[in-house]
């Protein structure tokens, strides 16, 4: 499978979806609907979803799972795209900027490609077609592979960790787990951006003791793994797997590769 072709097309679609999102983000008010699971959804979610779904389906003969097209959720193939067109809807609605566009490819339970675009922050993270992970910071014009900055996780310094956790979903259980570590710095961030902060060396650890779906995590997970990190189940520290029935994740821990994970 040509990962370079997937990278180029997914980058194009992520940028286009980001443009649609920002048109709505920059308006005075954002109308919010509530889905059947009580999660928020906006016009931006739907427009970005259409851009990505139509673009991927027109370019590749690979099944697609997206958050907004529920009819696809019965798919459980060995190889599939999984998409969250707007992760961090609450951050989007409250104009906080920490929202992302996410496109991932899963092969036999493992996210092998991912792209995460934060349009309000103008940061794009991805698995690099030649290996590892990279970040692009620019006006996102024509693609030049030589300008992609390679990123990798940062090793801890004598156990002094920088920790990132959710802005909107942090709870007492998460705080109790974080207390098991010697924390040097703590930062709050929204959406899949947290995976990317670990991947780029801006944090060491991101624990998530709350409900997430595979489309929330797959792209960021792929970026972090390719940067030398790990994403494991909270209970037994086994690698997080994809293509599960219902696409719901267990609690998990995302970390730089050298972090000695604690048992909760």
């Amino acid at each position: 499978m040509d990962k370079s072709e997937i990278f180029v097309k997914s980058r194009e679609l992520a940028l286009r979806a980001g443009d649609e999102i920002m048109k709505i983000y920059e308006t005075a008010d954002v109308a919010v609907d509530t889905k059947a699971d009580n999660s928020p959804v906006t016009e931006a979610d739907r427009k970005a979803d259409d851009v990505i779904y139509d673009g991927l389906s027109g370019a590749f003969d690979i099944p697609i799972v997206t958050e907004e097209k529920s009819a696809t959720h019965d798919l459980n193939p060995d190889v599939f795209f999984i998409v969250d067109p707007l992760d961090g809807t609450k951050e989007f609605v409250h104009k906080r900027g920490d929202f992302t566009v996410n496109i991932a490819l899963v092969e036999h339970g493992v996210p092998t490609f991912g792209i995460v675009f934060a349009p309000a922050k103008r940061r794009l993270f991805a698995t690099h077609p030649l290996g590892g992970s990279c970040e692009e910071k620019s006006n996102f014009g024509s693609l030049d592979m030589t300008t992609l900055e390679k990123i990798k996780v940062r090793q801890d310094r004598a156990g002094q960790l920088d920790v990132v956790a959710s802005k909107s979903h942090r709870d007492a259980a998460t705080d109790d787990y974080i207390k098991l570590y010697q924390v040097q710095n703590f930062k709050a961030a929204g959406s899949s951006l947290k995976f990317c902060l670990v991947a780029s060396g801006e944090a060491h650890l991101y624990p998530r003791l709350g409900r997430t779906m595979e489309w929330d995590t797959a792209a960021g997970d792929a970026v972090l793994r390719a940067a030398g990190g790990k994403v494991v189940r909270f209970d037994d520290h086994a690698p997080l797997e994809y293509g599960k029935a219902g696409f719901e994740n267990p609690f998990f821990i995302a970390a730089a590769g050298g972090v000695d994970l604690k048992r909760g």
Side-chain angles (χ1 to χ4, degrees):
M1 189 176 299
D2 188 344
K3 291 298 197 317
S4 293
E5 184 180 354
I6 290 173
F7 176 92
V8 171
K9 188 63 179 180
S10 295
R11 174 185 177 274
E12 172 202 330
L13 295 173
L15 294 176
R16 285 175 50 200
D19 287 343
E20 293 296 327
I21 290 168
M22 291 306 294
K23 289 176 187 175
I24 298 170
Y25 182 72
E26 290 165 356
T27 61
D29 296 305
V30 176
V32 183
D33 297 325
T34 302
K35 296 190 288 190
D37 64 356
N38 291 320
S39 62
V41 64
T42 70
E43 182 185 6
D45 295 81
R46 298 186 181 102
K47 284 193 171 183
D49 188 83
D50 287 342
V51 166
I52 298 170
Y53 185 88
D54 292 347
L56 289 177
S57 60
F60 306 104
D61 186 21
I62 298 173
I64 305 166
V65 176
T66 84
E67 179 176 8
E68 305 309 330
K69 289 182 169 53
S70 59
T72 66
H73 291 182
D74 291 333
L75 293 172
N76 192 16
D78 289 334
V79 179
F80 61 97
F81 285 111
I82 188 160
V83 174
D84 190 344
L86 176 50
D87 184 35
T89 301
K90 290 181 180 178
E91 307 303 321
F92 172 80
V93 170
H94 294 295
K95 311 280 189 180
R96 291 197 287 249
D98 282 6
F99 50 86
T100 55
V101 178
N102 300 264
I103 303 171
L105 179 73
V106 173
E107 299 182 83
H108 307 288
V110 179
T112 59
F113 166 82
I115 193 161
V116 176
F117 178 43
K121 293 185 173 294
R122 308 304 292 168
R123 301 184 74 176
L124 185 147
F125 302 88
T127 53
H128 196 287
L130 300 180
S133 291
C134 58
E135 180 177 4
E136 185 179 3
K137 299 177 187 177
S138 70
N139 294 322
F140 304 105
S142 59
L143 177 62
D144 181 353
M145 290 284 193
T146 65
T147 67
L148 297 176
E149 178 185 348
K150 284 293 192 80
I151 59 173
K152 62 181 180 179
V153 298
R154 178 164 52 99
Q155 299 302 311
D156 67 322
R157 297 189 296 275
Q160 296 291 322
L161 300 185
D162 295 338
V163 177
V164 61
S166 175
K167 279 184 177 178
S168 301
H169 303 283
R170 186 175 164 192
D171 56 15
T174 301
D175 287 342
D176 288 343
Y177 182 72
I178 291 171
K179 289 175 184 176
L180 298 176
Y181 296 88
Q182 294 182 352
V183 178
Q184 178 173 261
N185 294 299
F186 178 86
K187 61 182 69 177
S191 73
S192 59
L193 198 57
K194 295 183 287 294
F195 291 98
C196 300
L197 295 180
V198 180
S200 63
E202 295 167 68
H204 298 99
L205 182 72
Y206 158 40
R208 180 57 187 268
L209 281 67
R211 183 176 186 265
T212 60
M213 305 299 287
E214 292 184 12
W215 45 80
D216 297 318
T217 63
D221 186 340
V223 171
L224 177 53
R225 293 193 201 200
K230 55 193 173 186
V231 182
V232 301
R233 296 169 56 100
F234 182 79
D235 55 0
D236 60 6
H237 293 181
L240 195 63
E241 295 183 343
Y242 291 79
K244 301 180 292 294
F247 299 99
E248 185 170 353
N249 288 322
F251 295 171
F252 64 83
I253 310 163
V259 173
D260 182 17
L261 298 180
K262 310 294 185 183
R263 298 282 179 177

